[in-house]
Amino acid sequence: MASDDIAQLADALSKTHVGDGELSFKGLGLKLDNAASVEELIREIEQYQGLRALRLEGNTVGVDAARAIAKALESKDLLQRCYWSDMFTGRLRSEIPTALRSLGSALMSAGARLTELDLSDNAFGPDGVRGIEQLLKSPSCHTLRELKLNNCGMGIGGGKILAESLIACHRQSSAHGAPLRLRVFIAGRNRLENEGARALAKAFQLMGSLEEVHMPQNGINYSGVMALASAMRHNPELRVLNFNDNTFTKKGTLAMAQALRHLRNVQVINFGDCLVRSEGAIALAAVLREGLPILKELNLSFGEITEAAALVVAQAVTDKPHMEKVDLNGNCLGEEGCDALRELMENMDKGDMLSSLSDDEGEPEDEEDEDDQENGDDDDEDDANDDCNEDDEEDRDIVKENGIIRKYSPEKPQSPPEVMSFLSCPSAEKLLQMGEMRTDLSQQVDVSDPREAAGVFLKIASLYREEPETKTAVLETTDAVLKKLLSASALHSYCFLSTLLVMMGLLKGEDKVKKVSLVPGQLLCLEHAIQQEYFPQHHASLLHAFTSKNSEALKCCSSAGERLSSALEKKCRDHH
């Protein structure tokens, strides 16, 4: 090594931070190619008694240099934290696994018990994960609390190897009576896609100890998101969920909403740029209503959310006592929608909570043909993901058919033939003939199947007439149906209402749900229901957000539409 290089290294090492058990060579820009180039660095490591943390990030380490450093680490049994991000710039990808194996073997030989391992910003791909596979499975990682692998290009293959390693680590550590309790997992920008996400979800579910999960920008769509959502439910201490820039769509968002109902410690949710869309936003608003008691930050930016859905979210967050930041930027509110959102937040004295809306995309245009093409692509995605495991497949089918995750339940008791006859071909005469059996109609409504429930309500309401006997029969029946649906959980009731809005043509849905041709009776039944005690104000606010924005859709029913709008305004006004 040239004398001027040695002088440069000595000068750099003199600037290292030494103290608190940490030795840092961070950001020195050292090019460490061979054993000679690391002599000074090794001397520092060997002389440091009680070494607990080693920072090598921001330098570039070759295979021979890594072997020499590894030799020095073999005696460092107290080492707990390895900050080794951005450590292989300019190195051949084939070199990196060898270097990592050397360093990992040294930690295992030393009997080190790691709590934190950061290998972010090392573009090592799946082979690099193989380079740390044995370390991750070893007793040295049984104590691991934070694992950071951001921007490593792991890909699907690397994600699977990582998942298998974590599962093996958990199994072996459990056998020793101290299961792996990983708290922080960071793996953004790794192209994990659905297969990698599903593999990691199994590890997450097994561990159950996660507090922070950061997996932004991984090309994961709804089937991978659903697997992750299921795993999140088994991690009750979760505080931070960051899945920014993946593709949730409605199915993935509903799965996440269902998971969030069970998580009481979440403080930060980042679903920005995840294509949450309006139906998904409504589902998340429902969870905000009934859970997430200590939430501080919510990011739903760039999600194709429309004005009405954004207002529903805003209304839900204003009741959160710890809320600090809501990001709805980059959605489809339009200028008036942005003003309405700001006004709502300011009226609640929460104006400071709302992030900038400077990148709003403007109100969406109707592009039915394009949407049909999009849905076609989604169908292809279904076919592409038929390799899900059985449990995932079962959940996927449930969400695809019914719009919300639910467990299989025992079959409902067989309905009386009169009820079945009515539902297959409804008429006022059949409804009247049923007499007291009309109560069976509400029992047939499944709260976890919003599409079926909305269809039943609209069928019954379409029979409304001003003739007293028919009017009474219809209103009694629709009251019974709505009372059951709206007394369910907020998530179920909000999903019912959003499906109803889609079928009424007031909300653009993702699924191919057939819109009904509205008749005045359906709106008059809703007008009647809104005035009843069983109809909560926040449900009325949800409907009002959409009817006031899309009043054109109700014009076919003339005065009935005006009466419904008036009833909704009164209910909302009386509350304020």
Side-chain angles (χ1 to χ4, degrees):
M1 190 175 185
S3 59
D4 56 341
D5 289 337
I6 294 170
Q8 183 186 355
L9 177 57
D11 179 57
L13 292 176
S14 71
K15 297 171 186 172
T16 60
H17 165 67
V18 181
D20 304 325
E22 179 179 290
L23 181 57
S24 174
F25 306 102
K26 180 179 179 179
L28 298 179
L30 303 174
K31 193 170 188 296
L32 307 171
D33 295 326
N34 48 42
S37 68
V38 290
E39 285 178 359
E40 290 287 337
L41 186 147
I42 287 169
R43 190 172 296 114
E44 293 267 1
I45 292 173
E46 288 174 340
Q47 291 176 358
Y48 198 113
Q49 300 301 310
L51 181 65
R52 284 181 167 77
L54 178 61
R55 290 190 173 275
L56 294 174
E57 65 261 60
N59 300 290
T60 176
V61 181
V63 171
D64 292 338
R67 286 196 183 109
I69 294 169
K71 190 72 179 168
L73 291 176
E74 286 178 358
S75 62
K76 300 300 175 182
D77 61 325
L78 298 178
L79 187 61
Q80 296 176 332
R81 303 187 305 280
C82 298
Y83 303 104
W84 295 350
S85 63
D86 188 20
M87 207 171 73
F88 299 108
T89 301
R91 301 293 169 182
L92 293 174
R93 194 155 157 177
S94 57
E95 292 180 72
I96 301 173
T98 307
L100 288 171
R101 281 192 189 95
S102 297
L103 293 166
S105 295
L107 296 174
M108 291 186 277
S109 297
R113 292 292 183 265
L114 298 186
T115 59
E116 186 172 354
L117 178 60
D118 186 355
L119 288 166
S120 299
D121 301 315
N122 290 311
F124 50 49
D127 291 340
V129 186
R130 288 214 179 277
I132 58 169
E133 183 178 6
Q134 291 309 311
L135 173 63
L136 289 174
K137 290 178 178 178
S138 75
S140 288
C141 283
H142 288 185
T143 49
L144 199 61
R145 295 293 177 264
E146 300 188 20
L147 179 59
K148 301 174 182 179
L149 296 166
N150 203 56
N151 191 32
C152 290
M154 287 190 285
I156 293 169
K160 287 181 173 181
I161 297 164
L162 177 59
E164 288 162 9
S165 302
L166 290 172
I167 289 168
C169 182
H170 185 271
R171 184 171 59 245
Q172 290 162 20
S173 58
S174 296
H176 287 90
L180 170 66
R181 291 191 56 79
L182 192 68
R183 291 199 294 253
V184 177
F185 180 84
I186 300 176
R189 300 184 66 188
N190 270 294
R191 303 193 305 278
L192 294 169
E193 300 182 18
N194 291 332
E195 286 186 66
R198 284 199 291 268
L200 285 164
K202 291 177 185 176
F204 296 162
Q205 183 161 327
L206 188 64
M207 290 186 292
S209 55
L210 290 168
E211 296 177 16
E212 294 188 27
V213 177
H214 302 261
M215 296 176 67
Q217 208 172 340
N218 268 298
I220 306 168
N221 71 20
Y222 75 86
S223 89
V225 171
M226 288 171 67
L228 289 167
S230 181
M232 295 305 105
R233 289 176 62 165
H234 296 270
N235 288 267
E237 300 305 316
L238 263 175
R239 293 182 293 106
V240 179
L241 266 181
N242 176 7
F243 291 111
N244 189 287
D245 198 8
N246 290 291
T247 307
F248 282 27
T249 60
K250 177 183 172 182
K251 296 169 189 175
T253 311
L254 285 173
M256 276 294 173
Q258 187 82 334
L260 288 167
R261 291 177 66 197
H262 302 269
L263 301 172
R264 309 291 294 175
N265 294 301
V266 175
Q267 296 178 22
V268 178
I269 295 173
N270 185 344
F271 295 164
D273 208 7
C274 283
L275 216 59
V276 164
R277 294 184 173 144
S278 295
E279 288 176 280
I282 291 169
L284 292 172
V287 180
L288 287 163
R289 286 273 177 198
E290 65 180 350
L292 300 170
I294 59 171
L295 189 67
K296 292 181 178 179
E297 294 184 22
L298 176 65
N299 183 345
L300 297 179
S301 59
F302 299 93
E304 293 190 5
I305 299 168
T306 57
E307 173 192 341
L311 292 174
V312 172
V313 170
Q315 288 163 352
V317 299
T318 52
D319 292 332
K320 293 285 155 195
H322 303 282
M323 204 71 188
E324 295 171 4
K325 181 181 176 186
V326 182
D327 192 346
L328 288 162
N329 195 21
N331 283 298
C332 304
L333 311 186
E335 194 174 333
E336 288 182 10
C338 290
D339 289 342
L341 182 59
R342 289 190 197 96
E343 184 181 350
L344 185 150
M345 296 295 281
E346 284 165 7
N347 287 345
M348 300 285 190
D349 199 24
K350 306 279 186 180
D352 294 344
M353 189 191 292
L354 186 65
S355 295
S356 165
L357 299 172
S358 59
D359 296 317
D360 187 72
E361 298 282 346
E363 291 188 62
E365 296 177 10
D366 290 328
E367 296 173 343
E368 294 295 334
D369 292 339
E370 275 190 28
D371 284 347
D372 288 344
Q373 182 61 48
E374 272 186 35
N375 286 336
D377 292 343
D378 283 348
D379 291 341
D380 292 342
E381 186 62 49
D382 285 350
D383 296 337
N385 289 311
D386 282 341
D387 59 343
C388 293
N389 66 43
E390 245 177 87
D391 291 341
D392 287 344
E393 189 66 48
E394 178 178 281
D395 280 351
R396 281 178 60 209
D397 286 343
I398 290 166
V399 171
K400 185 158 62 181
E401 291 176 12
N402 301 331
I404 190 166
I405 291 179
R406 59 174 177 149
K407 302 283 185 190
Y408 278 114
S409 55
E411 286 187 19
K412 289 179 283 193
Q414 185 62 43
S415 304
E418 293 87 347
V419 172
M420 300 307 292
S421 171
F422 172 80
L423 288 173
S424 64
C425 187
S427 71
E429 291 72 28
K430 286 181 183 177
L431 190 65
L432 291 170
Q433 286 166 8
M434 285 168 64
E436 291 185 3
M437 272 194 293
R438 289 196 292 270
T439 56
D440 288 340
L441 282 170
S442 64
Q443 292 170 17
Q444 292 306 303
V445 175
D446 185 347
V447 296
S448 64
D449 189 341
R451 192 182 301 186
E452 179 196 35
V456 169
F457 168 76
L458 289 169
K459 278 180 183 177
I460 300 167
S462 69
L463 306 175
Y464 179 94
R465 305 285 182 275
E466 286 299 335
E467 184 269 314
E469 192 180 4
T470 303
K471 178 179 178 179
T472 300
V474 170
L475 291 178
E476 282 179 356
T477 311
T478 53
D479 275 346
V481 168
L482 288 174
K483 190 171 184 178
K484 178 179 179 179
L485 291 167
L486 300 183
S487 62
S489 72
L491 182 55
H492 282 119
S493 59
Y494 272 47
C495 286
F496 159 70
L497 288 174
S498 65
T499 305
L500 183 65
L501 288 164
V502 170
M503 294 175 81
M504 292 173 68
L506 294 165
L507 168 60
K508 189 176 182 181
E510 277 187 42
D511 302 329
K512 292 176 181 176
V513 177
K514 190 175 180 181
K515 293 177 190 173
V516 300
S517 298
L518 285 179
V519 294
Q522 292 160 333
L523 305 188
L524 294 174
C525 286
L526 274 177
E527 180 222 3
H528 164 83
I530 286 154
Q531 298 172 60
Q532 309 309 307
E533 283 187 12
Y534 71 76
F535 206 105
Q537 185 277 330
H538 63 97
H539 288 135
S541 293
L542 193 165
L543 290 179
H544 184 247
F546 284 90
T547 55
S548 60
K549 184 65 187 170
N550 303 291
S551 54
E552 288 291 319
L554 305 180
K555 281 195 172 176
C556 61
C557 298
S558 58
S559 62
E562 292 167 12
R563 283 173 60 176
L564 173 60
S565 297
S566 177
L568 287 166
E569 282 174 22
K570 185 176 187 304
K571 185 101 172 186
C572 296
R573 188 171 59 245
D574 289 350
H575 174 75
H576 295 309

